Amino acid sequence: MKLGLNRKDKGIPLFLSVILVFFALGMVVFSVSKRTSYEMSASAIHNLNESLNLIKGTIESILIKEAEFQILLTGEIAAAEDPEAYVRSYNSNQTMVRISLILSGQTEGISNTGEVFTAEDLDFSGGRSIEGLALSQSYINSMGTWAYTMKCPVVKDGEETAVLYIEYIYESLAGSLPNKFYNGSAMLYLMDPKSERFVLKPTGMGERNAGHLNLEDFYRANSILEEEIQASVSDGIQAGKNIMFYHDIQGKASLIYMWSVDDGATYLIGYVPIEAIQQEGKAVNQNILTVVVVMMAAFFLCCILYYFNYRQQDRIRKEREAEREVHNRQLAEALRAAQAASNSKTTFLSNMSHDIRTPMNAILGFTTLLEKDADNPLKVREYTRKISASGRHLLSLINDVLDVSKIESGKMILTIGEFTLNDLVSSVDTIIRPMAAAKKQNLQIQVTGIRHEYLTGDETRLNQMLINLLSNAVKYTQEGGNIWFRIAGLGKRSSQFEHIRIEVEDDGYGMTPEYLETIFEAFTRAENSTTNKVQGTGLGMAITKNIVELMGGTIDVSSKVGKGSLFRVELELRIPDGQTDEQFWEKRHISRILAVDDDAETCENIKMLMKDTKVQVDTALSGKDALCMVQKAYDTGYDYHMILMDWKMPDMNGSETAGKIRGLLPYPVPILFLTAYGGDEVQEEAFRIGSADILSKPFFAAALKEAVLRMEAERNHKTDTVSETDKADSLKGLRLLVAEDNEINAEILSELLDLEGITCEIKENGQLVVERFKASEPYEFDAVLMDVQMPVMNGYDATKTIRALDRRDAKEIVIIAMTANAFAEDVKDALDAGMNAHIAKPIDMELLKKTLGQSIQGKELRK
C-alpha cells in the first residue's frame, strides 16, 4: 500500500510538469500566430499589388494587340483595289463594333455598318496613343456603351491615302479579366480619368451598390467624404500615379486602390475589405489553434488510455489465448482434411488396384488359355477378342490417370484446329450407340439453332468430354432406359463465336445431393449397390470439368435419385473465316432444295445451316404439302434439284411420299431420306426407288455434301472414297525403316506389318537408323517409324539429322513418331522436329495404316 502511495505522489508533480510544458507551448504558439498574421497581412497587400499590376498588364496587352491588328489591317486596306469596298465587307465582332475609313482630303467616309462616318465627334486632344496610334477620349457610342476609338493612317507607296478608325468597347475587356477577385468580396471598376466616369465594371467583381457611375458617386456611396483624401486622389490621378489608402466602407475596414493603366490613360478603381486580405492569416491562426487544442486533447486522451491500459491487458491476454485455441482447432481441421485427402487417395489406389488387376487378370488368364487351346481356332479368336477388350479397358484407365496428373500439374493444353459438328457428333454416335444398343437403351440426338457447323477448337478434347458424359449416362442408366444428347445454338455474344449449349440427359439411377457436391472432384465415385458394379477410376468428371474450363466454358449438373441426371455444358467456339463453299453447289447446279419434315424445328435448322451456301431451302411439314410444292415448282419451271425427306411422318411417310413424287415428275430428282434410325429397311427403300440415299439425323450441311458426293460417284459407276480393305491392299509392298529399342515391341510390330504385306527393317536406336538411312539407296525406304525415347540418340535428334542430310529423299521421306508420349505437347514436339505425323503406343494398326496412307506421297490409295 505504501508503494502505491509513493507512485501516486510521484505521478502528481509529473502531471503538473506536463501541463506547464503544454501551457508554455501554447503561449509560444499564440505569439507565433500573431506574428504570422501580421506577416501574412503584409504579404496579402503585396499580392494585391501584384494582382493589380497583372490586371493592368492584361489591359495594356489587349490595347497593344488591338493597335497591332489595326496597323496590320491598314496594310491590307492599302493593298486592296477598292479600300472602301474592303471596309464595307469587313464584319464587326464583340471587340471592334465599327470600322470606318476617311479618304485623304475628305471630311466624311464610310463604315462597315453602312452609315456615313465623320470624325468630328471624336476627341483625340488628350495626346493618348498606343503603339503610335492616336487614342480618343472615352465616350458613349450609339449602342449606349462606353467605347474608345483608335485611328491609323493608311499609307500606300509612301503616301497617306486614308485614315482608318476602329471603335472598341470597354465591355470586351471584361472577358480577359479575372472572374472573381478575393472570392467576390472586392470591388473593381475601370475609370476614364478625364471625365472620371466608370466605363467598365467586370462581372464577378463584387456587388454594385448604389450603381456607381463616376468617381464622385463612388465617394458618396462609400462615405469617402474627407476633402483631403479626395484632393490627394485627384492630384495622384492627374499625375498618373498608383494610389492606395485605408478607409471604412459600409462599417468594414477596407483598402481602397486606384491603379494607373497605360500611364494614366485609364484607372482601375475599387476596394477590398481588410478581413478578406487577412483571411489566409486567420485561417493559419485557426489551424494552429486547432492543432494546439488537438494536442491537448490527445494528451488528456493518452492519460485516460494509459489509465485503462493495464485493465485491458488481462482481457487482451485472454483474447490471445482464445485465438490460440482457434488456431489449434484450425490446425486440427487441416490435419483431418489432409488425412481425408490421404485416405481418399489411398481409397483411389485401392480402387485402381482392383480396376487395373481386373483387366490384367483377364489378359494373363486368357494368355494362359491360349497356350492350352492354341490348336482350337474358335477359342483362339474368342480369347484374343477378350484380351483386346481388356487391353483397351486397361489403356482407358491409364489415360484417365495420366490426364488427372496433367490437370494437377497444370500442364494440360489444348490443340486448336478446325472441325465440323457433323464429324464430332458422328464420331461420338459411332462409339456410344453400340454401347446403348447393348443395354437396349434409346439414344436420341438433337441439334437445333446452330448457325455454323464449321468451328475452331480442340476436337479431340471435345470428343473426350462428350464420350465421358455419354458413356456415364449409358453406364448409370438401366436397361431399356432413355438417353438424350442435345446441342443447341444460343444467342451470339460475338459475331466471331458460336455460343452453344450441350446437354446430356438420362432417366437412370440419378445421384444424391451429397454426391453432387463432390462429383467434379478427382477420386470420387457414387457409392451404392447398383453403381458399385460399374468399373471406373472416378476421374472422368474431374477431367471433363477441367476440359470445359480450359475451353472457357461452364458445366453444371442436376439430378434426382431414381429420376435421372442432366449435365449442361456451355461453350463459345470460334467461327473460322471463309468456311462456306458456294462453288460446291454451283458446280453441281444445286440452287433449290425442298426439306420435308413434320417437325418445324428440324426444317428451320436445315434452312439455318444452309443459309451461307446461297442454296434456297423451301420446307414442307407433311407429305401432302410436299407433293403440292413439287407439282407447283414443276409447273412454274423452278424445279427442285434435291429433296430431303423425313422417313417417318404421320399420314404419309417418307417412302410413300417419295414414290408419289417419282410419279409426278418425268425425271428422277435426287431424294435423301432423313432418319434417326438407320437400318437396312431405309437403305433398301432408297435403293429400290433409285437416285436416293439416306442421311442420318441430326442434319448437317457437311453430311449433305458427303451424301451428294456419294450419289455422284454411284451415278458415274465409280467411288470417290476407298474402302479400308482396298487401303490395306494398297499398302502391300511398302518398305519401312523402324526405330524401336524394345525387342518385344519390335517383334510385335514386325509381325503386324508382315500381316499387311509390309516389309520393315528394325534398328535399336536413332544413331543406327541415321547410319542405315545414309547407307541406303535413294528412295529405298517409303517411310520411317521413329520411336522417341531411345538410347544413344533419341527420335527427335535422329529426325533432325536425317532432314539435314544432303539428299533429296531425306527432305521428302515420311517420318512418323511412334511413341508412348501421347500428350498434345508431345505431338507438337514431334512435328517441330520435322516428323510428318504422330501415333501413340500401344499401336493401333488401323490408325497406323490410315496415317501411312494419308502421309506417303506418290501412292495412289483407294478406300
Side-chain angles (χ1 to χ4, degrees), residues 360-374 383 387:
M360 281 299 300
N361 180 64
I363 292 171
L364 296 175
F366 284 117
T367 302
T368 303
L369 292 175
L370 275 175
E371 294 178 356
K372 295 177 61 178
D373 297 322
Y383 295 159
I387 289 173

Side-chain angles (χ1 to χ4, degrees), residues 500-514:
I500 65 172
R501 174 184 293 157
I502 299 172
E503 292 183 350
V504 175
E505 185 178 5
D506 63 68
D507 58 0
Y509 307 130
M511 293 172 281
T512 64
E514 293 76 17

